[in-house]
Amino acid sequence: MYKKMMKKQKNRNKELINVESVVIRFAGDSGDGIQLTGNRFANATAIIGNDLGTYPDYPAEIRAPAGTLAGVSAYQIQFSSKDIYTPGDKVDVLVVMNPAALKVHLSDLKPGGTIIANKSNFKSRNLKMAGWESDPLEDDTLSNYKVYDIEISRFVSSALKDMNLPSKTIERTKNMFALGLMYWIYTRPLEPTIEWLKVKFKSRPELVEGNIRALKAGYNFGDITEIFPASYQVGPAPLKKGTYRNITGNYAIGLGLLAASQKSGLPLFFGGYPITPASDILHQLSHYRNFGVKTFQAEDEIASIGSVIGAAFAGNLAVTASSGPGIALKGEALGLAVMTELPMVIVNVQRVGPSTGMPTKTEQADLFQALWGRNSESPMPVIAPISPGDCFYATYEACRIALKYMTPVFILSDALLANGSEPWLIPEIKQLSPIDVKFAVDPGEDSVFHPYERDKETLARKWAVPGTAGLEHRIGGLEKENITGNISYNPDNHQLMVNLRAQKVESIAREFPAMEIYGKDTGDLLVLGWGSTFGAIRAAVEKLRDEGMSVSHAQLRWVNPFPSDLGGILVKFQKILIPELNTGQLIKLIRSEFLIDAVGLNLSTGKPFTRSQIIEKIKSIM
Amino acid sequence: MAESITSKPLTRKDFISDQDVRWCPGCGDYSILAQVQKTFPDLGIPKEKIVFISGIGCSSRFPYYMKTFGFHTIHGRAPTIASGVKLANPDLSVWVITGDGDSLSIGGNHFIHLMRRNFDINMIMFNNEIYGLTKGQYSPTSELGKVTKSTPFGSLDRPFNPPLLALGAASTFVARSIDKRTHHLQDMLKRTHEHKGTSFLEIYQNCNIFNDGAFKNLTDREVKDDNVLVLENGKPMIFGSKKNKGIHLDGFKPEVVELNGKFSVNDLVVHEESDRNLGGILANFTHNEKFPTPIGVLYCEEKPTYEDLLYDQIESAKKRLGEGDLEALLHSGDTWVIK
Ligand code: SF4
């Protein structure tokens, strides 16, 4: 939506027009610094109080050949003076650094939308590589759009010419020029970016200077030249009071772990192995040595979960993060974690599969893997955060449940949440629910310690860490006799233990608050989602409710166990629609659990849902 | 937390758990268990600080029989779990019990990384050159051409040389003993414990069911002294039933010489445990008919342990940056206030 409110003001040199929401996409070679440019824009946008959602979309290849379609990296941001839930569907402004970026992204531009192109890169070689027969900036390909073709390379070389920098270095500052220009068009402050450049290139003053010059050159270019008739203003969104920062899902997970470590008083141990898109969590935590955080980059995925099981046995808050293929490798060890009933958290930042799939793209197809990707009956609670900021709370909750119930807990994030960002109200640590950990300290009445004696309420066994005198005991992957923990092949005992392990996980549902329903709690249609689809579904349902349709929305965070009020909610609607970025996983669970003939909306493109895809589906079934 | 229950010195009995031992009668594992239970009271470690961690295989039943903390994990992964235990609590005395299949086949990757990281962890590998628990397939230490259940025409892959592999993986302590040499084994267990860093102790262990007599030439009374070189630090390398043979080094080339006038004790190599090259030369005697099989400490050198380095990093980060402040971290970077 690009509602012009037409409240004009006098700006610096030009007219200033108020608008409600804008979607911008930066696109260029993966070597053009597109992600960095997008991040800076998001930051400046957050600081002036807009609500925003971002969607970084980059190739798996670190440096695909320059100028090719495969090498195009993009960063989309929607910002608004209203509450928004997604990075936006169609794009208002497309900033392209080369012909390949234009080729890949043109189809997402709204009719009449704006293109800002770095003309310097539209040379015949680049055009050919991107598959353009002739220069689209010159022929009538773009006649339905507003096109601004700018010789960015030429402008930055003249802005930096007296600095004696190598031409390659000068060329690299062109993203700052584009950023400066966008700052002018959308009236964002330059200062945060300037401060950031000073820190980023602390030891290279010439780069600080060069990039600042390019940034300002872009800004002044918008202000002074005749091409742009006006700039735009997006007012602050009506966000709740408090202090905010912009946050990505991966970063929020790191902070959530740290918070859980502090509140529980347990040292944080993180065992990881590099894998896209989860590695950032390892990187981030490795900086927190002064918090006593122990990060361990293991030799493989199996070793990383092995180390986590060991650390859990020895009394740390133990965590690992990976993505689908890595989780597959951890499967056997996760069975051991279930059998030994040790508390730990396993993060799966889902990506497209099967196998290596499309590592940087998003999908929700590991739900079944989380539930059943281990041999035999191996139940584990699963929580799926619904937004980048919620990754903090979901992580904290996962840790709390793991420690309280003595169980491994899965977090199902995904590439969209991991790299996407939103403004985040910084929580008060004091207000987070307490995490009380009680290690076993004495063996009990008859002086014989029973490692599988359970808490009556939670069914959690005792956590008796090595180093505690009198509690020496042995655990392992062989079936345990309930209470004593001795090896047991007794048929009745195995039945009992299978039941107990399942019951324990089921009983976690008592911790969940009542499900929130957006809209009426009865009606024609309930859209039920899980995890990261929250934003797109909410945006769609909001729109249709504004149009008067009887649609409601509920989003699952805990997908195992289901909230106990879910069944009662579902039966109050004529129809249930379940959108998922897979071929239908939650829907199978809902159908089999509640015998409800839900309808699916399924997408496997590596891209998140757009609001319009969901609206279209809802309209088609109502 | 309760204090160590008793200040009475520990005895062998204190380490015997209430579980029935279920190895085949006559298995070499019994001797190893007995030597461990006999030695441990002398190590001076409170019982509750000891953790035995095993993988899968006959040997990996071991933790159940020790009245300490124990963790019987999954096939090949004991080193990974032990690493986590040690990093979580460096005060613990952590022992990995493994076999040749567990540590060198399915767990080969973890083995080499455990060696190079140099946690203060002790790994005892029961090498019986066969898969026992799965009933007799050849293992990564079985000799070439081994006829077993899974290789009726003979195995086709050459065996690992465990000490050489450990050295190649930057191990800081490599030793070997034999199930039947009880006193030597006790000494080696003590040395294994004393070394700060990852200690690798290979124990030749007879599987009397599936690979009986694999180490006969090293244990039979009549031949063992001619086939075994018992290493002692600072002592010349002498062996033989009449103590009439020794190892002479011609440059880097070792040779067995007779002490018969042409060569005397003064011509023999004096064992220097901290000499890595010498360790490599000795490890290469394994499976080599021209040389005796060395037992004892092949190589030992102190290097900083992983956990010390990690905890140093934590301490120095705290000094440099101050104790982590979550509130401040949450509010770091660009923030803004909505009023
Ligand atoms: S199979 Fe061999 S190694 Fe295993 S317990 Fe029996 S004798 Fe010992």
Side-chain angles (χ1 to χ4, degrees):
Chain A
M1 290 268 295
Y2 198 81
K3 263 191 230 152
K4 286 182 189 167
M5 294 163 77
M6 299 309 286
K7 191 178 130 207
K8 298 179 184 181
Q9 285 180 14
K10 203 68 197 150
N11 185 24
R12 300 133 297 186
N13 291 320
K14 306 244 177 92
E15 198 180 2
L16 186 63
I17 302 170
N18 272 312
V19 290
E20 189 182 274
S21 302
V22 184
V23 180
I24 295 177
R25 187 182 292 173
F26 296 94
D29 252 334
S30 50
D32 283 340
I34 295 298
Q35 298 303 323
L36 182 152
T37 310
N39 270 317
R40 285 303 101 204
F41 191 89
N43 220 56
T45 294
I47 288 172
I48 61 172
N50 294 146
D51 197 4
L52 66 90
T54 67
Y55 173 42
D57 183 20
Y58 51 92
E61 294 78 14
I62 303 302
R63 289 274 191 278
T68 59
L69 299 178
V72 173
S73 171
Y75 189 102
Q76 179 167 320
I77 172 168
Q78 171 168 230
F79 52 103
S80 176
S81 58
K82 260 184 34 174
D83 242 358
I84 51 164
Y85 307 105
T86 72
D89 289 10
K90 290 282 179 185
V91 174
D92 296 306
V93 184
L94 179 61
V95 183
V96 291
M97 302 309 279
N98 67 10
L102 182 64
K103 188 91 190 177
V104 172
H105 293 290
L106 184 57
S107 61
D108 290 336
L109 188 60
K110 283 182 188 164
T114 300
I115 296 169
I116 294 176
N118 176 16
K119 183 149 179 57
S120 318
N121 267 345
F122 282 66
K123 307 249 167 64
S124 63
R125 203 178 97 87
N126 284 334
L127 288 164
K128 214 188 276 159
M129 231 186 310
W132 293 106
E133 309 259 295
S134 65
D135 187 347
L137 300 179
E138 303 293 340
D139 62 24
D140 58 1
T141 311
L142 307 176
S143 55
N144 288 333
Y145 307 103
K146 272 182 253 131
V147 181
Y148 299 101
D149 50 346
I150 305 167
E151 294 269 9
I152 295 182
S153 303
R154 195 160 57 81
F155 284 119
V156 292
S157 31
S158 82
L160 276 67
K161 72 169 174 291
D162 57 332
M163 287 187 66
N164 276 328
L165 291 171
S167 56
K168 256 205 182 136
T169 310
I170 294 175
E171 178 69 11
R172 285 230 180 92
T173 65
K174 62 184 190 294
N175 61 335
M176 285 296 132
F177 183 95
L179 184 62
L181 176 57
M182 295 310 285
Y183 280 167
W184 180 79
I185 297 178
Y186 290 103
T187 51
R188 329 264 95 176
L190 298 181
E191 291 69 27
T193 303
I194 292 174
E195 288 313 307
W196 178 84
L197 284 166
K198 286 179 182 164
V199 175
K200 165 125 179 129
F201 298 117
K202 202 165 38 198
S203 53
R204 308 275 307 271
E206 75 283 9
L207 294 186
V208 176
E209 164 87 19
N211 278 295
I212 292 176
R213 280 200 197 185
L215 182 75
K216 288 186 171 165
Y219 191 88
N220 294 333
F221 178 83
D223 198 18
I224 289 156
T225 55
E226 296 292 306
I227 326 176
F228 296 98
S231 64
Y232 299 88
Q233 180 167 282
V234 177
L239 298 168
K240 262 172 77 180
K241 281 183 194 166
T243 307
Y244 282 76
R245 65 184 294 165
N246 200 33
I247 201 159
T248 64
N250 270 350
Y251 197 80
I253 287 176
L255 292 181
L257 293 174
L258 210 49
S261 161
Q262 299 236 318
K263 289 284 266 195
S264 64
L266 297 176
L268 178 60
F269 176 88
F270 183 91
Y273 184 76
I275 185 169
T276 302
S279 307
D280 282 341
I281 302 171
L282 169 63
H283 305 161
Q284 179 195 356
L285 292 173
S286 66
H287 286 281
Y288 300 156
R289 288 281 192 261
N290 61 324
F291 286 84
V293 174
K294 289 167 270 187
T295 50
F296 175 56
Q297 182 177 320
E299 59 270 28
D300 58 28
E301 293 282 359
I302 300 171
S304 83
I305 184 65
S307 68
V308 165
I309 292 171
F313 178 54
N316 278 193
L317 173 60
V319 182
T320 186
S322 185
S323 189
I327 299 291
L329 282 165
K330 293 180 197 294
E332 186 198 11
L334 290 175
L336 179 68
V338 169
M339 183 60 109
T340 51
E341 304 189 36
L342 287 168
M344 68 195 73
V345 170
I346 302 101
V347 182
N348 178 355
V349 186
Q350 298 166 96
R351 64 189 222 189
V352 169
S355 187
T356 313
M358 303 195 283
T360 56
K361 309 293 177 192
T362 200
E363 199 169 72
Q364 294 183 294
D366 295 347
L367 175 56
F368 283 176
Q369 183 195 38
L371 291 174
W372 300 310
R374 298 168 292 285
N375 58 306
S376 190
E377 304 290 342
S378 182
M380 219 186 261
V382 181
I383 189 169
I386 63 171
S387 72
D390 184 47
C391 284
F392 175 87
Y393 294 101
T395 301
Y396 186 84
E397 199 57 6
C399 295
R400 189 179 71 82
I401 294 294
L403 294 165
K404 180 167 175 185
Y405 289 81
M406 289 291 282
T407 176
V409 175
F410 247 116
I411 298 177
L412 280 184
S413 177
D414 58 33
L416 177 66
L417 296 178
N419 299 312
S421 64
E422 64 176 352
W424 184 59
L425 178 62
I426 300 171
E428 295 264 353
I429 299 302
K430 291 193 295 284
Q431 317 245 302
L432 297 170
S433 27
I435 303 181
D436 294 323
V437 176
K438 278 192 214 86
F439 291 127
V441 286
D442 66 76
E445 283 160 24
D446 49 0
S447 278
V448 184
F449 178 60
H450 293 142
Y452 277 71
E453 200 159 44
R454 294 168 189 281
D455 181 276
K456 291 216 169 50
E457 188 196 319
T458 61
L459 298 180
R461 73 178 190 90
K462 289 180 176 161
W463 197 5
V465 300
T468 320
L471 302 191
E472 294 83 0
H473 68 282
R474 276 68 55 196
I475 57 171
L478 289 167
E479 182 60 291
K480 300 281 162 294
E481 186 177 67
N482 195 35
I483 301 175
T484 66
N486 288 335
I487 301 172
S488 169
Y489 284 81
N490 179 303
D492 294 338
N493 177 71
H494 178 58
Q495 182 71 61
L496 174 70
M497 293 301 271
V498 167
N499 296 350
L500 281 172
R501 287 187 284 261
Q503 254 175 39
K504 184 167 87 165
V505 171
E506 285 302 318
S507 74
I508 288 164
R510 79 161 80 93
E511 303 270 344
F512 308 165
M515 278 195 80
E516 276 174 38
I517 303 173
Y518 174 73
K520 296 225 171 72
D521 57 8
T522 164
D524 295 343
L525 178 75
L526 176 75
V527 187
L528 178 70
W530 67 277
S532 70
T533 55
F534 170 79
I537 297 175
R538 179 58 55 90
V541 171
E542 187 176 72
K543 172 106 192 308
L544 294 176
R545 290 190 60 79
D546 284 351
E547 291 176 11
M549 288 176 86
S550 165
V551 192
S552 300
H553 172 210
Q555 193 77 4
L556 286 170
R557 282 171 94 230
W558 284 102
V559 275
N560 193 41
F562 282 143
S564 27
D565 51 352
L566 178 59
I569 290 168
L570 295 178
V571 295
K572 292 208 183 114
F573 290 87
Q574 301 289 323
K575 283 185 176 158
I576 308 290
L577 172 67
I578 302 183
E580 295 178 84
L581 296 175
N582 58 38
T583 58
Q585 300 193 4
L586 177 68
I587 194 171
K588 292 196 178 71
L589 300 175
I590 295 290
R591 284 179 164 192
S592 73
E593 182 83 16
F594 302 109
L595 302 176
I596 281 173
D597 187 21
V599 179
L601 168 60
N602 302 96
L603 190 68
S604 300
T605 58
K607 290 182 175 185
F609 282 118
T610 61
R611 182 178 70 164
S612 38
Q613 283 167 331
I614 293 172
I615 289 177
E616 206 176 294
K617 181 70 184 181
I618 294 174
K619 286 189 167 163
S620 79
I621 59 170
M622 281 185 73
Chain B
M1 211 177 279
E3 282 297 293
S4 187
I5 330 179
T6 164
S7 47
K8 263 195 296 175
L10 295 168
T11 67
R12 180 169 175 225
K13 270 215 182 107
D14 292 312
F15 288 95
I16 301 176
S17 81
D18 59 356
Q19 304 292 301
D20 296 335
V21 184
R22 298 219 174 127
W23 288 308
C24 309
C27 175
D29 290 357
Y30 283 95
S31 162
I32 302 174
L33 177 63
Q35 305 329 312
V36 169
Q37 287 168 338
K38 205 175 276 174
T39 315
F40 266 54
D42 301 341
L43 300 185
I45 326 166
K47 214 168 53 155
E48 66 273 13
K49 292 210 165 163
I50 299 168
V51 188
F52 277 91
I53 298 169
S54 64
I56 294 292
C58 292
S59 57
S60 288
R61 289 291 182 115
F62 197 95
Y64 290 117
Y65 309 137
M66 292 294 298
K67 206 172 169 185
T68 62
F69 282 90
F71 202 156
H72 178 214
T73 72
I74 45 179
H75 207 11
R77 318 302 173 200
T80 72
I81 283 129
S83 306
V85 168
K86 190 70 188 179
L87 288 176
N89 184 356
D91 277 351
L92 299 171
S93 172
V94 179
W95 297 74
V96 172
I97 302 292
T98 183
D100 40 316
D102 191 57
S103 67
L104 297 184
S105 214
I106 193 165
N109 195 31
H110 310 309
F111 176 88
I112 54 177
H113 291 280
L114 181 72
M115 293 302 136
R116 82 183 168 88
R117 287 202 183 100
N118 200 36
F119 299 101
D120 188 11
I121 286 177
N122 309 307
M123 175 188 263
I124 305 185
M125 187 185 86
F126 296 22
N127 182 4
N128 55 15
E129 301 186 349
I130 199 80
Y131 281 85
L133 192 69
T134 50
K135 303 200 167 78
Q137 301 82 4
Y138 83 109
S139 91
T141 53
S142 300
E143 69 275 15
L144 182 65
K146 181 95 173 165
V147 174
T148 69
K149 265 203 190 118
S150 60
T151 51
F153 298 103
S155 62
L156 303 171
D157 33 0
R158 288 172 299 135
F160 266 129
N161 176 339
L164 195 61
L165 181 65
L167 282 168
S171 172
T172 58
F173 179 95
V174 179
R176 177 189 277 149
S177 192
I178 303 177
D179 54 4
K180 293 216 165 76
R181 296 185 81 123
T182 54
H183 292 289
H184 186 264
L185 181 48
Q186 289 169 26
D187 287 346
M188 286 306 109
L189 287 167
K190 284 180 192 152
R191 288 292 311 271
T192 299
H193 161 68
E194 278 159 18
H195 175 69
K196 189 160 161 61
T198 302
S199 313
F200 173 60
L201 173 61
E202 177 188 32
I203 303 176
Y204 285 148
Q205 170 247 323
N206 192 39
C207 169
N208 56 314
I209 303 295
F210 296 109
N211 201 17
D212 196 22
F215 307 105
K216 231 160 110 49
N217 60 340
L218 308 180
T219 53
D220 278 2
R221 193 172 297 270
E222 313 77 59
V223 293
K224 64 176 190 189
D225 291 340
D226 285 321
N227 293 330
V228 175
L229 169 66
V230 184
L231 298 168
E232 281 179 87
N233 199 30
K235 301 260 172 70
M237 296 185 191
I238 301 181
F239 68 105
S241 47
K242 302 190 192 84
K243 299 238 172 275
N244 57 344
K245 287 185 268 191
I247 307 295
H248 172 74
L249 265 187
D250 182 10
F252 289 109
K253 208 171 162 267
E255 56 183 353
V256 172
V257 295
E258 304 253 346
L259 301 178
N260 56 4
K262 188 173 167 214
F263 288 98
S264 79
V265 168
N266 297 333
D267 298 311
L268 301 183
V269 200
V270 172
H271 187 40
E272 173 49 58
E273 288 175 354
S274 66
D275 185 339
R276 200 175 178 83
N277 293 322
L278 189 58
I281 289 169
L282 288 166
N284 265 313
F285 290 3
T286 311
H287 306 141
N288 186 336
E289 279 162 20
K290 283 196 231 139
F291 293 97
T293 298
I295 66 170
V297 177
L298 280 72
Y299 169 69
C300 167
E301 196 173 12
E302 295 255 326
K303 297 261 162 73
T305 65
Y306 187 105
E307 65 272 18
D308 279 356
L309 294 173
L310 176 65
Y311 279 80
D312 283 354
Q313 270 189 2
I314 290 173
E315 283 320 305
S316 71
K318 283 180 177 171
K319 256 190 219 127
R320 197 158 41 88
L321 307 166
E323 189 86 35
D325 177 346
L326 182 58
E327 209 73 52
L329 178 67
L330 288 174
H331 287 83
S332 65
D334 294 319
T335 61
W336 67 97
V337 179
I338 306 274
K339 289 197 183 105

